[in-house]
Structure formats: structure tokens, C-alpha cells
Amino acid sequence: MLIMLNMHNIHYRQLFIQYSLVNLSETMSSENLFTEHLNKETIFLNRNALLPHYTPEHLLFREKQMENLVDSLAVILRNEKPSNIFLYGKTGTGKTAASKLVVEHLLQAMKSKQGNFASAYMNCRTYNSKYKVLSKAVKELFPKENFLGYSATFVFEKVMEYVNETKSHLVLVLDEIDMIKDLDECVYSLTRANDDLKNGSISILGISNKLNFKDKLDPRTKSSLCERELIFPPYNAEELTEILRQRAEIALKNKIVEDSALRLAAALAAKESGDARTAVLFLLKGAELAEKKGLTKITDKEIELAKKSVEEEIAFEMISCLPEQQQRVLKSIAVLAGEKKGVQSLHGSSREEAVLLSGEVFEKYQSMAKEEKVSIISGRWYREYLNELEMYGLISTIMSGKGQRGQTKLIKVLLDSKKILKACAQTADLTN
Ligand SMILES: Nc1ncnc2c1ncn2[C@@H]1O[C@H](COP(=O)(O)OP(=O)(O)OP(=O)(O)O)[C@@H](O)[C@H]1O
Ligand SMILES: [Mg+2]
């Protein structure tokens, strides 16, 4: 009976959906909501090529690193175990892109060879324990089987069985390897596994952008993991210009982006970090702004605006990740800065945020915390939070000269106070 009723329900629902669709198409105006976009000229040839996950077929200025990687892994073609390799360098320096490309090429090369090569790429932000690493590996090796809920030992044995029976050389690409909680144990078991293998091998290609992470490792893990090391240095402005030029050719229509705009995007990214991801992001945002405005050229102005909007996005992310009390301190700075209205900038028409006294900010914070009926942090924590906010580039502070009331810290907010308040309000909405 219940089933019958359900079937009726389904029947009525289907009828209702069909009816609604008929009705909707009858009442819809002849103008389709997408018409404007259908006929719009676009400045993109392939927008995907500017997205973060796109990897170009040729990585500029990484020839030496790729050659080293190829040399290290080429022993697999002779049926030998490669050394473990550790890649490190700052964010956006091509570590992930280079590793993925080299592994892809090795897979191609193995097709014409007798031996077997298997690889599993994983980002250890997600696969952050030995068990998760092994589970991901086993999933890649046995795609049709499901090992959910099996013990770590069982999963480990399964990986070993695969390697042994297929005589494979398995390379585990552990990106952001510093995120693995039981890394010592993980590296130890994977390295020692080779002692028990009659055929094939297991090696690790570890990647990290935490430059001093290596020094914190247990000496045994360090020497196993870093049998070979490769450094990816940041790019300079000229290199980033070439990288952007290569990307613009794939992603944008011919001569859409002015050369000076490319150089500006590269220079801005080089100044901050030497990070290719940021440079490409400036170009993408600049292109989107130009397209929105119906422009036929991407100029310096679009890149400057793009940088501003990227910075705001980053700041927004940062604010939303601040601990609650620290966010409240920042909020009190923004509220006070808003009340004081700021002063005219020395450099132009825009307004600079007002200079605040540390004491008045703390008072404002205390009254806000009381109003919200939450505990109040101590003066020591308050100063600690201010230091951190300065480090994140959200505020700047300076000690005043010796006045009537002695020295005090002066605070200036570096972002538009309205935007900070908006970010705080949105985080509150998300957490409520
Ligand atoms: N030499 C290069 N030529 C062209 N594009 C590059 C080059 N290096 C990096 N990129 C591009 O920059 C972006 C970031 O590169 P990648 O993801 O490899 O950085 P990463 O070193 O792994 O950074 P992170 O440490 O943050 O993970 C990608 O879109 C990548 O395609
Ligand atoms: Mg990476």
C-alpha cells in the first residue's frame, strides 16, 4: 500500500513538473535570459587556460628541474627502483605542474616498454595520514574494488601485493607532504616496504612549500625522504612576463592584451612573491574586467584593478579565518576608523583611513564584547592580536612620539573599513 502511495506521489510529481514546464515555456517572454551572452563577442580563446588547474604542455624556466626529475625517474625504464625525491620551493613556483607533467611523460614512455609503472598523485591536505595515503593508493591501483573500512594493514598488504604481482614501480606523489600528521611513520613504512618486495618498488615524490619543514623532520625520515632534493626558486619579473605571454597566446584572442599590461602583471606578482599562480590570476581578472566593460584591449588599468580585487579576495579569506576574538579586535578598529571618517589622502582624491590610538581601540573592543556578552581578552592577548593583524597586512602600527600621555601605539587600518565590516558580517552569517 505504501509503495502504491509512493508510486502515486511520483506520478503526480512528474505530472506537476511536466505541467510547470509547459506553463513556464508558455509564459516565458520571447527574450531568453542568455541571449545577450549568446551574441556577445568574447576576448577569450580558451578561458580554461587561465584557471589554476591548467598545466601548460611546456613549463618555461623549469628545464633544469624537469631534467633532474626525468633523470631520477628514468631508472624505472631499466626496471630499477628510483630514489625518493623531495621538491621544495615557495608557492606558485611550478612544483605540482612539473611533477604531474613528468609523471605523465613517464606513463607515455612506459607504453613502449616491458616494465610496469604505476603512480598515485594526492594532495595531502586531503590525504593527511598514512592510512589515507594508502587508501588513495589502493583506490588508484584497484579502481573497480572498494576497500572502504578495511584496516591499515590490509590496505598496505593490498598495495604490496599489487606491486609484487605486477612487478610495478609505484611512485606516490605526495603533494603538500608536510600536512601528513604521522609522516615519520608513513615514510618509514613506505620506504621499508621495499625490503619485503621481491619484484617492483615503492618510492615517494614528496612536495612542500614550507621551506623549513625539512629541518623539523626526524633525521631518519629526512634522510629517507630527501635522497634527492630539487629546489624550485621564485620567478623574477622577466620570467613571469614570458610565462604570461605564453598563457595569453593560448587563452586570449590575438593582441587583446597590451604588452605593458603583461609586464605590469608580472612585475606586481614578482614584487610580492614570484608566484606564477598570482601572475596568471591578475591576467584572468584583468581579462574578465575588460570583457565586462566591453573593452577590446586589456590595459595597465585593468591589471591594477584586478590586483586590487584579488587582494580584497585574499583579505576576505584571511578575515574569515581569524579566530573570533581577533576578528572582533579588527572589527572594532574598522568601526572606529569608519566613525572618524578618515583624512584626505596626500596622493590623490581617495581617503586614507584615520589613525587610531591603541587605547581607544581596546575600549571599543571591550564595549563590543560586553554588548555581545562574550568574555574579554587580556591586554597581553590584545597586543598579540594587533601584532598578528599587522603581520597579515590588515593594519599598520607605529609608536607615537613622547606626548603628554607618554608613548602609545597608533593604528591604521590598511583596507577599506567598510569592506572589513562586510567580511566580518558575512563570516558571522556563515557561522550562525
Ligand atoms: N614555469 C611555468 N610556466 C608556465 N606556467 C607555470 C609555470 N610555473 C607555474 N605555472 C603555473 O602557475 C600555477 C601554479 O603552479 P603550481 O601549481 O605548479 O605551483 P606550486 O609550486 O605547486 O605551488 P604550491 O606550493 O602553492 O602548491 C599553475 O597554474 C601553473 O600552471
Ligand atoms: Mg602545488
Side-chain angles (χ1 to χ4, degrees):
M1 185 60 187
L2 195 66
I3 294 169
M4 289 276 287
L5 266 179
N6 276 341
M7 281 182 62
H8 264 92
N9 276 347
I10 291 168
H11 183 63
Y12 281 125
R13 259 187 60 202
Q14 270 170 355
L15 267 185
F16 178 71
I17 292 167
Q18 275 165 17
Y19 175 77
S20 326
L21 285 177
V22 170
N23 242 10
L24 193 62
S25 61
E26 273 171 5
T27 54
M28 225 160 52
S29 68
S30 55
E31 184 75 10
N32 185 290
L33 290 172
F34 289 90
T35 309
E36 191 196 333
H37 291 270
L38 272 174
N39 303 325
K40 204 170 175 181
E41 268 286 311
T42 171
I43 62 174
F44 291 103
L45 271 180
N46 175 9
R47 187 175 171 279
N48 285 346
L50 293 177
L51 296 182
H53 298 294
Y54 178 87
T55 310
E57 276 168 32
H58 178 62
L59 280 186
L60 298 166
F61 312 108
R62 285 298 173 244
E63 290 78 8
K64 210 177 82 201
Q65 285 80 0
M66 305 260 293
E67 213 177 286
N68 266 317
L69 264 178
V70 168
D71 282 347
S72 307
L73 295 177
V75 297
I76 293 179
L77 295 167
R78 302 196 299 268
N79 201 15
E80 288 166 23
K81 179 197 178 309
S83 306
N84 290 336
I85 313 165
F86 181 57
L87 309 188
Y88 68 102
K90 284 192 181 168
T91 188
T93 50
K95 301 178 298 294
T96 300
S99 318
K100 283 189 170 172
L101 266 179
V102 169
V103 166
E104 197 54 43
H105 276 257
L106 182 56
L107 275 169
Q108 293 288 335
M110 287 304 286
K111 281 190 183 151
S112 56
K113 273 295 239 184
Q114 291 279 303
N116 281 321
F117 164 57
S119 73
Y121 169 89
M122 61 199 87
N123 189 303
C124 302
R125 245 172 223 283
T126 312
Y127 301 95
N128 61 359
S129 68
K130 176 185 155 191
Y131 180 62
K132 287 185 185 166
V133 167
L134 289 170
S135 302
K136 171 72 175 163
V138 88
K139 214 162 127 194
E140 295 282 326
L141 301 175
F142 301 91
K144 289 193 184 127
E145 294 182 44
N146 183 358
F147 296 100
L148 210 71
Y150 281 84
S151 72
T153 319
F154 180 86
V155 176
F156 184 67
E157 290 301 326
K158 217 53 206 167
V159 173
M160 294 286 280
E161 185 189 307
Y162 179 94
V163 171
N164 216 355
E165 284 178 8
T166 60
K167 303 187 167 97
S168 286
H169 294 284
L170 170 65
V171 175
L172 296 173
V173 184
L174 305 181
D175 206 346
E176 305 204 43
I177 190 169
D178 46 277
M179 302 300 282
I180 299 181
K181 287 179 246 158
D182 49 354
L183 185 64
D184 289 326
E185 170 61 22
C186 182
V187 171
Y188 181 79
S189 344
L190 289 171
T191 313
R192 290 293 158 263
N194 289 292
D195 300 339
D196 297 331
L197 284 169
K198 283 201 189 74
N199 308 303
S201 67
I202 300 177
S203 342
I204 302 171
L205 197 169
I207 305 173
S208 176
N209 58 21
K210 307 271 179 309
L211 299 188
N212 55 4
F213 147 81
K214 201 179 59 149
D215 306 327
K216 291 189 201 141
L217 289 174
D218 177 289
R220 209 167 44 173
T221 312
K222 187 170 159 186
S223 67
S224 301
L225 186 61
C226 310
E227 284 172 340
R228 274 187 167 222
E229 280 181 52
L230 278 179
I231 302 169
F232 282 61
Y235 299 109
N236 61 33
E238 286 79 50
E239 290 170 337
L240 287 175
T241 307
E242 284 313 307
I243 289 173
L244 287 182
R245 200 166 276 140
Q246 176 204 48
R247 207 56 82 87
E249 271 172 25
I250 309 167
L252 300 168
K253 285 188 181 158
N254 200 10
K255 301 207 169 86
I256 284 283
V257 57
E258 286 184 352
D259 206 55
S260 69
L262 274 190
R263 278 187 273 114
L264 178 63
L268 293 172
K271 196 169 141 212
E272 272 176 19
S273 49
D275 159 3
R277 190 185 288 114
T278 305
V280 174
L281 189 61
F282 288 163
L283 185 58
L284 170 68
K285 293 268 173 188
E288 284 176 347
L289 276 171
E291 175 145 288
K292 206 164 171 195
K293 287 197 247 164
L295 303 176
T296 49
K297 283 266 174 215
I298 304 167
T299 67
D300 291 12
K301 192 171 165 209
E302 280 65 57
I303 299 296
E304 266 154 20
L305 290 170
K307 178 177 182 265
K308 208 163 160 240
S309 97
V310 169
E311 276 172 354
E312 278 173 13
E313 269 175 41
I314 294 172
F316 183 84
E317 281 282 305
M318 207 184 277
I319 293 171
S320 58
C321 294
L322 292 177
E324 201 186 313
Q325 289 281 24
Q326 192 168 24
Q327 210 184 78
R328 196 166 285 114
V329 171
L330 181 66
K331 194 172 160 187
S332 49
I333 294 173
V335 169
L336 273 183
E339 284 169 5
K340 285 205 177 173
K341 299 267 180 342
V343 288
Q344 206 69 32
S345 160
L346 290 177
H347 315 292
S349 56
S350 64
R351 299 189 83 83
E352 273 188 9
E353 296 286 354
V355 175
L356 309 168
L357 304 173
S358 173
E360 63 178 340
V361 170
F362 194 44
E363 273 170 26
K364 184 80 188 170
Y365 157 79
Q366 285 170 317
S367 78
M368 275 170 43
K370 261 188 214 149
E371 231 170 79
E372 292 174 43
K373 296 193 173 64
V374 292
S375 61
I376 292 172
I377 53 167
S378 67
R380 199 181 67 79
W381 268 108
Y382 166 67
R383 286 189 294 279
E384 183 68 34
Y385 278 160
L386 284 185
N387 289 342
E388 280 180 21
L389 290 174
E390 183 162 25
M391 210 175 67
Y392 300 151
L394 293 167
I395 62 168
S396 72
T397 70
I398 185 172
M399 290 311 283
S400 72
K402 285 197 181 98
Q404 281 174 325
R405 286 193 285 168
Q407 267 200 325
T408 178
K409 199 174 239 187
L410 302 176
I411 302 169
K412 208 164 91 177
V413 61
L414 294 179
L415 270 185
D416 180 359
S417 52
K418 281 197 207 107
K419 291 199 170 122
I420 293 186
L421 293 175
K422 197 169 145 201
C424 293
Q426 287 186 9
T427 324
D429 284 349
L430 287 176
T431 46
N432 284 337

